[in-house]
Amino acid sequence: MLNILVLFMLFLKRETIAQTNSEVLKLKLLKSEIIKMDSLLFDVAFNQCDAGAFKKIIADDVEFYDDRSGLNISKANEIKSLEAKCARPEKLTRKLNSCVIDKLGDFGAVQVGEHTFYSNGIPEGTGKFIHIWERKENEWKLKRIVSYEHRPYKK
């Protein structure tokens, strides 16, 4: 009887390890997908002023909460805001400082991070953000944005 119990416990331990390894791999894949989306959103759409890429990334029913301007629920207004930023004489860019990413069940992912904004290559300010990403079929859409704690850049 003791041998059967030991074998059963070893089997359960092996199944738990296999399940844990699978979850770790899934989370690693999720993180790399969200980092790729962050890069498309900022390195391509924001930094290079690619409104077409921006339109593809943000959801039609986007909600953008900002500590400076309040709530925007218009995708068209978000696109206009990007175009206005790109029309300015100075080149405004953003660099990701850090972020953490986790899954939101079958819905998608949450990304919480901090970034620095630059004007003509000179750091101007930092901000924190929360992005809620939704996976629809095989596409990621930025559904909710919370942008807060904007501060002047400190060396």
Side-chain angles (χ1 to χ4, degrees):
M1 183 71 169
L2 183 60
N3 288 341
I4 293 173
L5 183 59
V6 169
L7 285 173
F8 181 71
M9 290 174 63
L10 287 173
F11 174 76
L12 284 178
K13 182 178 178 184
R14 193 180 78 171
E15 289 299 310
T16 301
I17 290 170
Q19 188 175 27
T20 302
N21 286 341
S22 174
E23 289 299 313
V24 167
L25 290 174
K26 284 180 186 175
L27 189 55
K28 221 176 197 180
L29 177 61
L30 174 73
K31 288 179 179 181
S32 70
E33 289 177 356
I34 297 303
I35 290 296
K36 177 183 173 191
M37 293 308 300
D38 182 271
S39 179
L40 289 172
L41 177 65
F42 284 102
D43 295 342
V44 175
F46 188 85
N47 292 350
Q48 297 177 28
C49 294
D50 188 335
F54 190 66
K55 290 175 190 177
K56 290 178 186 175
I57 294 168
I58 62 172
D60 290 338
D61 62 343
V62 66
E63 290 181 7
F64 185 4
Y65 302 86
D66 188 280
D67 63 350
R68 299 159 301 176
S69 59
L71 172 63
N72 177 46
I73 56 171
S74 167
K75 181 175 183 175
N77 283 347
E78 285 305 308
I79 294 164
K80 284 180 191 173
S81 176
L82 175 71
E83 291 169 342
K85 177 209 75 95
C86 294
R88 293 170 65 171
E90 67 274 9
K91 181 170 173 56
L92 301 174
T93 56
R94 175 266 199 180
K95 180 182 175 223
L96 179 65
N97 298 338
S98 64
C99 72
V100 293
I101 299 162
D102 210 341
K103 67 178 186 166
L104 292 175
D106 292 337
F107 179 81
V110 59
Q111 176 188 17
V112 180
E114 185 175 307
H115 42 209
T116 299
F117 295 95
Y118 295 79
S119 177
N120 295 325
I122 299 168
E124 289 235 329
T126 60
K128 295 183 180 179
F129 67 93
I130 302 168
H131 288 170
I132 304 295
W133 293 92
E134 179 181 25
R135 186 192 320 242
K136 282 191 171 183
E137 297 168 15
N138 287 329
E139 278 192 345
W140 286 102
K141 296 288 183 181
L142 184 53
K143 187 96 166 160
R144 302 292 180 259
I145 305 161
V146 180
S147 186
Y148 63 102
E149 224 173 273
H150 291 90
R151 303 280 186 260
Y153 182 77
K154 292 182 183 176
K155 294 180 185 180

